[in-house]
Amino acid sequence: MVGGPGAGKGTQASLLAQKLGLAHVASGDLFRDNIKRDTTLGRKVKQYLERGALVPDDVTVQMIDDRLGWPDAAEGVVLDGFPRTRAQAEALDKMLARRGAEVDQALFVDLDREEVVRRLSGRWLCSKTPDHVYHTIARPPKVVGQCDIDGAPLVQREDDKPETIRARLEQQLPPMYEVVDYYKEHGKLSTVNGEKSIQEVSDLLMRAIAQPAR
Ligand SMILES: [Zn+2]
């Protein structure tokens, strides 16, 4: 599964795995799981995360490689959060080839950049009680800019502001498009419209699997 932030990729990957009876392998979960089990890789990951640094490709790749060796992965998996870069996509092909396997299909949940900004920048907090959380799309207050519970003005955190989100996307989207292009070049990419509802996107993905682009 390929998709930027805000596209509901994690939710869709989980639904898809259930429907297909495959394991859902999410890189974020793998990091956490390895840290929890205190594996050699987990200890490495922890060091990077504690420094606020990105986990290097070779560590991530080893972790995925290890996970693909588990019995529940024998029939295939739905990968989520990996590959994140072209280099990781190439590494994935290599590790699968060693197992006599390959990527069947890359499913891209496509979402317009401004729609992503709209979804991710919708969060507003009550200035009096920050536990009172609103979202302009998912949970709008009755009166714009005002808390339903105590009437206090709503404020937006720096991280949730559109300009912050746009700056973050400038960093995150180019590598994702490299991955998209990689699978397009290999004739494995199916794109679905991520602006639809969760249910509709899930149906589109199942249809894309039934009728691969190839
Ligand atoms: Zn409030």
Side-chain angles (χ1 to χ4, degrees):
M1 297 275 307
V2 189
K9 176 172 59 72
T11 306
Q12 292 299 341
S14 170
L15 281 171
L16 199 61
Q18 277 174 34
K19 287 184 183 175
L20 299 173
L22 299 174
H24 172 203
V25 174
S27 57
D29 293 346
L30 268 190
F31 288 161
R32 281 186 288 275
D33 176 60
N34 273 273
I35 291 171
K36 207 169 129 197
R37 290 188 292 122
D38 198 29
T39 64
T40 312
L41 288 168
R43 263 172 260 150
K44 279 189 198 169
V45 168
K46 203 174 166 190
Q47 285 172 9
Y48 290 103
L49 296 183
E50 278 173 353
R51 289 206 309 262
L54 279 176
V55 178
D57 273 1
D58 62 323
V59 176
T60 307
V61 166
Q62 274 182 62
M63 209 169 275
I64 297 284
D65 201 7
D66 169 70
R67 181 64 182 84
L68 293 181
W70 292 22
D72 69 340
E75 299 299 316
V77 300
V78 177
L79 278 175
D80 167 17
F82 181 90
R84 253 182 222 291
T85 62
R86 190 182 181 98
Q88 288 187 357
E90 286 166 357
L92 176 62
D93 280 351
K94 280 190 196 126
M95 75 171 85
L96 289 174
R98 278 203 308 275
R99 298 181 146 88
E102 62 175 317
V103 170
D104 289 315
Q105 208 170 355
L107 299 162
F108 175 37
V109 183
D110 192 15
L111 198 54
D112 177 74
R113 187 182 292 232
E114 278 311 299
E115 173 62 17
V116 176
V117 174
R118 210 166 70 87
R119 288 185 183 190
L120 296 182
S121 66
R123 197 151 75 134
W124 290 78
L125 308 177
C126 172
S127 54
K128 211 157 131 193
T129 312
D131 287 350
H132 303 159
V133 181
Y134 299 86
H135 191 284
T136 46
I137 305 166
R139 191 173 182 267
K142 291 195 187 81
V143 178
V144 175
Q146 190 180 309
C147 179
D148 290 353
I149 300 159
D150 49 33
L154 300 181
V155 291
Q156 203 165 28
R157 284 207 298 225
E158 210 50 51
D159 268 4
D160 297 330
K161 290 185 176 167
E163 53 274 28
T164 314
I165 309 254
R166 280 196 194 94
R168 219 157 59 210
L169 290 175
E170 289 296 321
Q171 305 291 318
Q172 291 172 331
L173 293 184
M176 182 196 76
Y177 283 114
E178 275 183 22
V179 173
V180 167
D181 288 344
Y182 181 81
Y183 289 115
K184 204 183 280 173
E185 285 160 24
H186 289 75
K188 295 193 171 182
L189 190 78
S190 298
T191 303
V192 303
N193 181 353
E195 284 185 37
K196 309 274 185 195
S197 70
I198 290 175
Q199 184 56 53
E200 284 171 305
V201 172
S202 184
D203 291 345
L204 288 172
L205 287 168
M206 287 305 284
R207 218 174 300 161
I209 289 169
Q211 297 168 321
R214 280 168 282 169

